[in-house]
Amino acid sequence: MTGTTTYIAFLRAVNVGGRTVKMERLRALFAELGLDQVRSYIQTGNVFFSTAETDRAALTARIEQHLEQALGYAVPVMLRTVEEVAELVDADPFAGVEVTPEVRLCAVFLSEPLPTDLEFPVSSPKGDWEIISATPGTAFTVLHLRDGRTVNPATCFPKSYQGQATSRFFHTIVKILAAARKV
């Protein structure tokens, strides 16, 4: 479709904490908004769609409003174009980080940039996570499992951070991108 943009909507608060939404229903909710070629990937709230709408902030607000009205709770939405996610993957933000059974690589999609005074890397006092770098829209976090468990990377930001965030393992983002590129 000419003049359209394909977005990946990374949703927070979907299929966690007892809030279950079948992907069929989620796709239907996006379609109700007049969005085209709506598809989803796995159960963690990743939705692909195309639209001719050019105002991303207005589109995000419209989606969030519709989801909250339909589901009964707020669902923060981080919209990224397929091209933006491809750039993120191609940048290889975790180059040089050794992956072991105790290490997880995570990209945290942000609604607002992190505070400008943040100096990287930022590590937790317990050593269970570190933010190694960030762009205005994404923080790159290395998680260290302790007793087989890890923290929610979206909670690793300073209290001064006023935005919303949702995380995905980096290897999952690669798969999401591949799925989003399929027509």
Side-chain angles (χ1 to χ4, degrees), residues 99-180:
V99 177
T100 69
E102 292 80 34
V103 171
R104 301 288 185 274
L105 308 179
C106 204
V108 183
F109 295 100
L110 309 170
S111 65
E112 303 292 331
L114 290 174
T116 56
D117 61 346
L118 210 55
E119 293 184 30
F120 301 106
V122 177
S123 299
S124 74
K126 295 180 183 177
D128 52 354
W129 58 263
E130 61 184 320
I131 303 171
I132 60 171
S133 67
T135 65
T138 312
F140 303 102
T141 307
V142 177
L143 304 174
H144 302 278
L145 273 66
R146 300 284 187 243
D147 300 320
R149 307 188 96 204
T150 186
V151 298
N152 175 352
T155 63
C156 298
F157 304 125
K159 292 184 193 304
S160 61
Y161 182 67
Q162 298 298 309
Q164 298 286 335
T166 189
S167 62
R168 301 294 184 274
F169 290 123
F170 195 71
H171 68 274
T172 303
I173 293 169
V174 172
K175 293 175 185 176
I176 290 169
L177 177 61

Side-chain angles (χ1 to χ4, degrees), residues 28-68:
L29 291 171
F30 273 74
E32 288 172 6
L33 292 168
L35 303 171
D36 299 315
Q37 300 176 319
V38 177
R39 298 175 291 135
S40 60
Y41 181 78
I42 62 178
Q43 300 294 316
T44 57
N46 310 292
V47 179
F48 322 130
F49 64 90
S50 296
T51 184
E53 293 182 48
T54 57
D55 185 335
R56 188 186 311 210
L59 178 60
T60 300
R62 195 163 71 89
I63 294 168
E64 287 177 339
Q65 210 169 35
H66 186 64
L67 293 176
E68 183 169 7

Side-chain angles (χ1 to χ4, degrees), residues 4 12 90 105 153 171:
T4 64
R12 184 172 153 217
D90 291 345
L105 308 179
H171 68 274

